[in-house]
């Protein structure tokens, strides 16, 4: 386990998945990150690569060849290597290997960089193309935050405040976790989305090309807040296990497949390409 800290935050990361396991608010004494209760949902903040969501039949198509790839890709179950660290900074690396080439036929280095900057944690995804061709990928975050923050409070005391008022349409998911092609309006109270336990009874709220580039978790009962900012990410998922005391705010570059439409990876919706020898970076932030 690797720990970085400053006067505001103490953050722990494990090598499996280079996954955050703790975001401790030193000012309030509150653990902000869901603590992976295995009876409810056994993750804290998985990192999604080289896909977000699912591919049809769990088969990734590359140049007509099929590769078996599970939901959200392989990074979250892979052992990363810590390659650099300081008191406020840690860099984890997942290079391609014989195992990754069996399910994703590209040569790459996927790095996750955690940096504390005053009251914020910056999470940077870095993809380096070591192949002799263009590679294709999606990437995303899936952090789960404890709601309520404090003992004696209720989930329904909390809401998500969007950066701007906007007309939101969720992209509906099937029971199998794929997009159906249908959309439904999500009505905000001004800029507020009130959290309720039934809100996620039909799986995640999926938003494509969202205008707001930050969400703030707030309560009607106090002024403690947590902000997730995602300036480099086009799409967003909001989810909780039905009935659980957390909410996931998920910045995505990519999303799950649409039912009945298997595509070669270079034709997938919202896929990203990276030319030979090039490097990709995108960052999102947690601040208190």
């Amino acid at each position: 386990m690797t720990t970085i800290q400053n006067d505001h935050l103490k953050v722990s990361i494990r090598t499996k998945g280079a996954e955050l396991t703790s975001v401790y608010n030193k000012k309030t004494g509150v653990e902000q990150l869901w603590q992976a209760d295995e009876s409810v949902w056994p993750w804290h903040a998985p990192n999604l690569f080289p896909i977000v969501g699912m591919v049809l039949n769990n088969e990734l198509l590359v140049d007509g060849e099929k590769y078996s790839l599970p939901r959200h890709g392989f990074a979250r179950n892979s052992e990363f290597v810590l390659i650099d660290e300081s008191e406020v900074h840690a860099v984890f690396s997942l290079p391609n290997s014989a195992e990754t080439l069996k399910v994703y036929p590209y040569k790459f280095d996927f790095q996750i960089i955690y940096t504390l900057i005053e009251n914020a944690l910056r999470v940077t995804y870095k993809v380096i193309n070591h192949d002799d061709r263009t590679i294709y990928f999606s990437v995303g975050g899936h952090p789960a935050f404890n709601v309520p923050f404090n003992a004696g409070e209720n989930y329904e005391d909390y809401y998500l405040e969007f950066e701007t008022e906007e007309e939101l349409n969720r992209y509906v998911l099937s029971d199998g976790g794929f997009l159906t092609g249908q959309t439904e309006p999500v009505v905000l109270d001004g800029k507020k989305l009130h959290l309720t336990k039934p809100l996620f009874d039909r799986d995640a709220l999926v938003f494509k090309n969202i205008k707001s580039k930050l969400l703030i978790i707030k309560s009607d009962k106090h002024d403690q807040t947590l902000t997730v900012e995602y300036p480099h990410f086009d799409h967003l998922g909001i989810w909780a296990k039905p009935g659980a005391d957390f909410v996931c705010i998920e910045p995505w570059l990519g999303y799950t497949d649409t039912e009945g439409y298997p595509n070669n990876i270079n034709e997938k919706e919202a896929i990203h390409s990276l030319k030979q020898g090039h490097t990709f970076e995108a960052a999102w932030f947690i601040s208190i």
Side-chain angles (χ1 to χ4, degrees), residues 33-163:
L33 202 65
W34 169 251
Q35 288 303 289
D37 182 341
E38 292 192 2
S39 68
V40 181
W41 189 63
W43 301 90
H44 305 269
N47 296 299
L48 318 181
F49 176 86
I51 59 171
V52 172
M54 299 174 66
V55 286
L56 290 171
N57 304 313
N58 288 327
E59 291 177 341
L60 183 71
L61 299 178
V62 181
D63 298 329
E65 297 291 325
K66 296 179 179 179
Y67 298 85
S68 180
L69 201 58
R71 180 192 292 264
H72 294 321
F74 52 76
R76 63 177 178 164
N77 284 308
S78 298
E79 282 293 324
F80 282 66
V81 177
L82 178 65
I83 60 173
D84 186 34
E85 68 174 317
S86 70
E87 188 174 357
V88 296
H89 178 75
V91 183
F92 295 84
S93 169
L94 177 66
N96 68 270
S97 64
E99 292 304 308
T100 67
L101 289 169
K102 291 177 183 177
V103 297
Y104 179 69
Y106 295 117
K107 297 176 182 177
F108 66 89
D109 186 7
F110 178 42
Q111 296 182 5
I112 304 176
I113 304 162
Y114 294 99
T115 307
L116 288 172
I117 307 167
E118 297 182 345
N119 67 327
L121 172 67
R122 182 176 66 203
V123 183
T124 304
Y125 295 137
K126 184 174 182 180
V127 182
I128 305 168
N129 183 352
H130 290 310
D131 215 308
D132 58 4
R133 55 179 170 165
T134 297
I135 69 174
Y136 297 88
F137 65 92
S138 291
V139 67
H142 199 317
F145 302 103
N146 284 324
V147 174
F149 294 168
N150 308 301
E153 298 176 346
N154 297 312
Y155 196 80
E156 290 75 12
D157 295 336
Y158 285 75
Y159 58 91
L160 302 180
E161 184 174 276
F162 286 74
E163 181 180 20

